[in-house]
Amino acid sequence: MALRTLFTKKSLTLASAFRPIAVASTAGDQRLGSGLSQARGLTVAALPDLPYDYGALEPAISGEIMRLHHQKHHQAYVTNYNNALEQLEAAIAMGDATAVVRLQSAIKFNGGGHINHSIFWKNLKPVNEGGGEPPHSSLGWAIDTDFGSLEALVQKMNAEGAALQGSGWVWLALDKGFKKLTVETTANQDPLVTKGANLVPLLGIDVWEHAYYLQYKNVRPDYLKNIWKVIDWKYASEVYEKETA
Amino acid sequence: MQHHTLSCCGGVRPSLPPPLSFRWSKIKRERCRRLPRCARIAAQLELKAPPYSLSSLEPHMSRETLEYHWGRHHRAHVASLNNLIAGTDLDGMGLDEIVVVSYNKGNPLPPFVHAAQVWNHDFFWQSIKPGGGGRPSGRLMELIERDFGSFDRMLEEFKRAALTQFGSGWAWLVYKANRLDVGNAVNPCPSEKDNKLVVLKSPNAVNPIVWDYFPLLAIDVWEHAYYLDYENRRADYVSIFLEKLVSWEAVSDRLDVAIERAAERAREDETRRQEDDTAVSHSEAVEMYLDSDTDDSEAE
Ligand SMILES: [Fe+2]
């Protein structure tokens, strides 16, 4: 538990070195979006705390995997995203369009990594706290309607997750436009929104090798089979209800 | 020492474009009949063992990593490839040709990922050796210094490529022969100096032979290549690979083949050009305006 708290809620203020003196960067700040811009600095991303211990998902996911995944991988996405944002703000302030464009891939990758993992941790829950309990409420009905049954959905996500080449994610998404559930995959750290502006992530499963390799080695299907034992359907249901209300 | 030369299956060029109406399940048998070595119909591609024992790269790459990486991942790609191509006309082609044909000009067919990963892993195991590392010499070093400024700058660029391949994939040092991949234009004065060493990266299974480059060195940056030994520390793995594992002899031997191959192809291009010139001078002027017909005949 102590280790986890080390990584919570850091906030950086931009060093003045990144801001050329006397450059009015109002326009640039607006482009960053209201959630990010402040008068004197960026609100940076922070590694979220896990709502359970690293070992609490065993035996489905080992404590060692959870520790590395959270402390190292997610932390690296957060750090690199923040670095890229600082550089972006400087580039915008200087009107350096080339630099702004060049930073896009790092922002997409690391920002995506931060977004995806933040969702992923909420999708998991220890068995003794309700992990693996099937969804009841309206999400349960929607799954039956759109996929036939929960088993059919699980099978579909396992198949698509296993077939995904390289690194990426498999998602249960709500398409807000069509009010319909769909299964999507994204490559690398592309967040779900890259597949459609109407898509809301209810459940994301990380199929990067770092998510399972220490325990499952090359057998990704076994990881996919076991992860359902610690899926927090309550979280997915809450998001679904909020988005369909 | 074994090498992958880019010749395959009776000397077919890896860059041979597939027919426009290409479907992988319907590859024309005629393609293969022209090629004598394709007589081995239904030849199963084999899992090639690394040219050293599985524990001999320790402590830089553990026996356990090789047991999984070679013994499971590489083996599974060989099995999947054999399954997928059995009974299709890819069956019996050389691995290089399967890679290029199944890449299908950027719309990969199902066997591509497996064919390319078999190629990549064969090449990877032969790129490293116990007691590797150090510095190259001879022509390889000369070209590295010519094209990157210095050996260290090449290493830097290679590391950067390996670290910025976002997700699974490979980083490469390749020999890039400066060819114009169009039928109607020529390099007016081709020279060896047009050819270059280049560092690049590729996602997932993609292999630079599909872009007509000649690979000299590859590092696998899929997490399975380093996770058991280095966990998330890809940078450490890449550094150790360059300092302790890479076989510059293998890279150097490949460069010799690449240069020879490029020269051979330049000679072939020159011969073809002379033949075309002769053909044009003998043809009647009116034919030169029949665009589509002449294009077809000249494409041969
Ligand atoms: Fe991950």
Side-chain angles (χ1 to χ4, degrees):
Chain A
M1 291 299 279
L3 275 173
R4 286 180 0 208
T5 52
L6 283 176
F7 293 95
T8 52
K9 301 196 185 58
K10 271 190 289 184
S11 162
L12 290 173
T13 305
L14 276 179
S16 55
F18 286 101
R19 282 174 173 271
I21 300 153
V23 170
S25 59
T26 331
D29 282 344
Q30 282 167 354
R31 276 161 186 267
L32 281 171
S34 57
L36 286 175
S37 62
Q38 290 181 349
R40 302 258 160 168
L42 295 168
T43 299
V44 297
L47 186 69
D49 205 359
L50 292 192
Y52 37 78
D53 286 330
Y54 290 135
L57 304 178
E58 291 186 350
I61 304 176
S62 76
E64 182 66 355
I65 287 178
M66 290 301 294
R67 186 183 66 79
L68 288 167
H69 204 168
H70 182 245
Q71 279 181 15
K72 304 292 182 180
H73 292 279
H74 192 167
Q75 179 64 59
Y77 297 124
V78 167
T79 304
N80 294 331
Y81 175 62
N82 288 335
N83 288 342
L85 284 191
E86 286 187 13
Q87 292 172 36
L88 178 68
E89 207 197 30
I92 289 171
M94 289 187 278
D96 184 347
T98 306
V100 170
V101 172
R102 193 184 57 230
L103 285 163
Q104 300 307 306
S105 64
I107 290 170
K108 184 182 180 193
F109 181 73
N110 293 297
H114 174 50
I115 292 168
N116 294 343
H117 286 90
S118 299
I119 298 167
F120 185 56
W121 309 134
K122 292 182 190 160
N123 286 139
L124 301 173
K125 184 152 261 191
V127 174
N128 61 13
E129 293 173 27
E133 263 173 39
H136 298 296
S137 52
S138 55
L139 176 60
W141 288 107
I143 288 171
D144 288 346
T145 307
D146 293 332
F147 300 101
S149 66
L150 180 63
E151 291 67 36
L153 167 66
V154 166
Q155 215 171 19
K156 186 173 168 63
M157 287 185 71
N158 285 358
E160 296 204 12
L164 190 145
Q165 281 172 24
S167 306
W169 292 76
V170 56
W171 302 94
L172 172 62
L174 167 67
D175 186 322
K176 281 177 80 174
F178 292 103
K179 301 252 184 287
K180 202 173 178 311
L181 299 175
T182 64
V183 170
E184 303 282 342
T185 58
T186 55
N188 299 325
Q189 293 299 357
D190 292 358
L192 181 62
V193 68
T194 59
K195 282 289 179 91
N198 278 331
L199 296 176
V200 179
L202 303 182
L203 168 60
I205 298 178
D206 189 345
V207 294
W208 280 61
E209 287 172 322
H210 66 231
Y212 60 86
Y213 207 79
L214 292 180
Q215 196 177 353
Y216 295 94
K217 306 290 191 327
N218 57 310
V219 194
R220 189 191 287 178
D222 284 359
Y223 156 71
L224 286 168
K225 196 172 138 205
N226 280 344
I227 199 169
W228 298 102
K229 293 171 186 160
V230 289
I231 291 295
D232 182 10
W233 282 108
K234 227 175 129 202
Y235 170 78
S237 297
E238 282 165 18
V239 176
Y240 179 80
E241 271 154 37
K242 199 177 118 226
E243 296 290 344
T244 51
Chain B
M1 179 80 54
Q2 285 178 304
H3 305 292
H4 285 272
T5 65
L6 291 187
S7 63
C8 67
C9 207
V12 169
R13 287 181 175 193
S15 58
L16 192 72
L20 283 177
S21 59
F22 183 76
R23 295 284 182 279
W24 80 278
S25 54
K26 294 183 192 165
I27 298 165
K28 298 267 188 293
R29 278 283 175 197
E30 290 80 1
R31 277 175 66 78
C32 231
R33 270 197 221 112
R34 297 202 302 263
L35 310 168
R37 276 166 59 196
C38 292
R40 306 166 295 143
I41 293 296
Q44 292 278 296
L45 286 145
E46 280 173 17
L47 175 68
K48 281 189 203 159
Y52 37 77
S53 82
L54 298 190
S55 50
S56 61
L57 301 177
E58 291 190 338
H60 312 302
M61 193 179 283
S62 67
R63 180 185 178 86
E64 196 191 10
T65 289
L66 270 98
E67 280 171 350
Y68 283 101
H69 196 178
W70 173 72
R72 304 283 177 93
H73 292 276
H74 189 169
R75 186 187 305 276
H77 284 300
V78 172
S80 301
L81 177 61
N82 281 327
N83 275 338
L84 279 173
I85 66 174
T88 76
D89 288 350
L90 291 170
D91 203 343
M93 288 183 189
L95 183 58
D96 297 62
E97 196 184 11
I98 298 176
V99 170
V100 173
V101 172
S102 66
Y103 184 65
N104 195 26
K105 294 187 165 177
N107 293 303
L109 305 168
F112 172 74
V113 59
H114 303 295
Q117 285 292 66
V118 172
W119 199 108
N120 297 347
H121 284 95
D122 284 347
F123 189 83
F124 178 66
W125 303 129
Q126 290 171 25
S127 296
I128 53 181
K129 64 172 189 181
R135 296 164 73 84
S137 57
R139 179 153 64 166
L140 175 58
M141 193 55 142
E142 281 165 29
L143 291 194
I144 287 173
E145 286 171 348
R146 182 192 75 183
D147 294 338
F148 295 95
S150 70
F151 178 59
D152 286 343
R153 282 177 64 179
M154 189 278 287
L155 292 184
E156 246 171 64
E157 209 175 302
F158 190 84
K159 279 184 199 171
R160 194 181 322 123
L163 294 180
T164 58
Q165 172 49 44
F166 293 145
S168 304
W170 299 77
W172 306 82
L173 176 66
V174 305
Y175 184 75
K176 180 174 176 286
N178 194 17
R179 301 180 78 246
L180 297 167
D181 191 21
V182 288
N184 62 346
V186 291
N187 186 344
C189 26
S191 126
E192 209 285 312
K193 290 196 177 105
D194 296 340
N195 302 338
K196 261 184 121 146
L197 297 185
V198 177
V199 164
L200 48 91
K201 55 191 174 181
S202 66
N204 296 342
V206 175
N207 174 310
I209 68 172
V210 305
W211 302 313
D212 203 22
Y213 298 156
F214 196 109
L216 304 176
L217 174 65
I219 184 170
D220 187 345
V221 293
W222 285 60
E223 287 173 322
H224 66 231
Y226 59 88
Y227 214 81
L228 297 180
D229 295 329
Y230 299 90
E231 295 170 342
N232 58 302
R233 300 183 304 280
R234 188 191 285 193
D236 291 355
Y237 158 68
V238 175
S239 294
I240 294 286
F241 173 90
L242 291 168
E243 284 161 27
K244 307 286 187 187
L245 291 172
V246 64
S247 167
W248 291 114
E249 290 75 17
V251 177
S252 191
D253 291 347
R254 288 162 176 164
L255 177 65
D256 291 343
V257 178
I259 290 173
E260 198 181 303
R261 178 91 189 129
E264 192 185 306
R265 285 169 62 166
R267 281 194 299 274
E268 285 169 14
D269 287 352
E270 182 57 31
T271 310
R272 194 172 310 113
R273 199 153 51 233
Q274 285 170 1
E275 283 168 6
D276 288 353
D277 287 351
T278 315
V280 168
S281 66
H282 285 292
S283 63
E284 290 181 30
V286 65
E287 283 181 29
M288 298 182 71
Y289 298 96
L290 302 175
D291 288 343
S292 53
D293 290 351
T294 48
D295 280 355
D296 281 354
S297 59
E298 283 174 5
E300 279 302 304

